Amino acid sequence: MPQRWKSRPVFARFYASLAGPGLERAGVSRYRHRLTEGLVGDVLEVGAGPGASFEFYPPTVTRLVAIEPEPLLRREAERAAAAVPITVEVIESDAEHIAAEDGSFDAVVASLVLCSVPDQRAALAEIVRVLKPGGVLRFFEHVRSESARMRRVQRGVDATVWPLLNGGCHTGRDTLRAFADAGFTLTDHERVRFPDTAFPFPAAEHILGTALAPDRRTS
């Protein structure tokens, strides 16, 4: 059974007031734009946080459902939803238990969320379930480093303070392998260093890209 999501109100307040705005100042908007560019139809955003990405969705998105389990961040997302021209429905749900029917969405967007879900495998299985056959997953996520030295650093911080201080975030999950294990087919992806600091930083390793969900009708 997947683990249930655990509320983190202290982190939610920190993220809404400091961490989220800090990401915007560091230039995360360019990745939000690339995540959403060209999407069409019914779209699900997993772990929408305060709704910072809503303004980037194109008018070809006919309906956006944004799930967010944390009450404070969900209220922020509801305010953000009211300020954009597309239709956005913000609902209480978590990635391991998505409140949607099978095959409901043409695309799913996951941005800085698969690093922090308690059960990444269960979350990806749920994303597969709610996507239409061959549907699109867009992702921008922390990822395990290609450097052996940095992987050791990531393992160290992930086993100690980093998840406690950052809402359950893990810097070094092998998310690319997790996509493959869930049946996704990567169509394109690149490694991105964000923020691009002068000194190595374990949380700077990211992947940005697109994957296609398996066709459950033939599996």
Side-chain angles (χ1 to χ4, degrees):
M1 293 292 291
Q3 305 172 55
R4 290 298 302 188
W5 177 86
K6 181 180 179 181
S7 178
R8 298 182 176 92
V10 173
F11 174 77
R13 290 183 178 86
F14 166 73
Y15 188 88
S17 62
L18 294 174
L23 287 175
E24 301 304 322
R25 289 192 297 272
V28 75
S29 293
R30 63 185 180 271
Y31 301 120
R32 299 194 196 282
H33 175 74
R34 291 176 62 183
L35 272 176
T36 58
E37 187 176 19
L39 291 177
V40 298
D42 294 335
V43 178
L44 172 72
E45 183 172 340
V46 178
S53 63
F54 295 168
E55 64 180 291
F56 297 96
Y57 283 90
T60 47
V61 173
T62 53
R63 180 176 69 114
L64 174 63
V65 175
I67 66 171
E68 174 53 53
E70 178 56 57
L72 186 150
L73 294 177
R74 194 166 59 250
R75 288 193 295 271
E76 293 292 324
E78 289 167 350
R79 283 192 279 269
V84 297
I86 66 168
T87 300
V88 183
E89 179 185 1
V90 180
I91 63 174
E92 179 181 2
S93 187
D94 63 66
E96 295 98 324
H97 313 84
I98 298 174
E101 299 295 322
D102 295 0
S104 300
F105 297 101
D106 300 290
V108 170
V109 172
S111 177
L112 304 178
V113 64
L114 295 175
C115 59
S116 59
V117 294
D119 189 334
Q120 192 182 71
R121 179 177 295 183
L124 288 170
E126 277 289 88
I127 291 172
V128 169
R129 180 184 67 79
V130 301
L131 275 170
K132 295 176 181 177
V136 171
L137 170 64
R138 295 277 184 87
F139 54 86
F140 176 57
E141 294 288 345
H142 293 296
V143 71
R144 180 178 297 177
S145 176
E146 292 181 306
S147 161
R149 177 177 297 179
M150 182 55 71
R151 286 197 299 271
R152 289 194 293 272
V153 174
Q154 288 177 326
R155 285 195 296 270
V157 299
D158 287 353
T160 53
V161 298
W162 193 267
L164 294 174
L165 297 177
N166 293 279
C169 172
H170 293 73
T171 65
R173 286 181 172 174
D174 192 357
T175 302
L176 282 175
R177 174 65 181 270
F179 288 150
D181 289 346
F184 284 98
T185 301
L186 288 172
T187 57
D188 65 85
H189 75 280
E190 64 180 284
R191 287 184 174 262
V192 178
R193 185 175 296 279
F194 175 79
D196 192 6
T197 56
F199 297 98
F201 182 55
E205 306 269 355
H206 294 77
I207 47 172
L208 173 72
T210 302
L212 298 181
D215 189 340
R216 299 183 306 276
R217 297 170 303 184
T218 60
S219 59

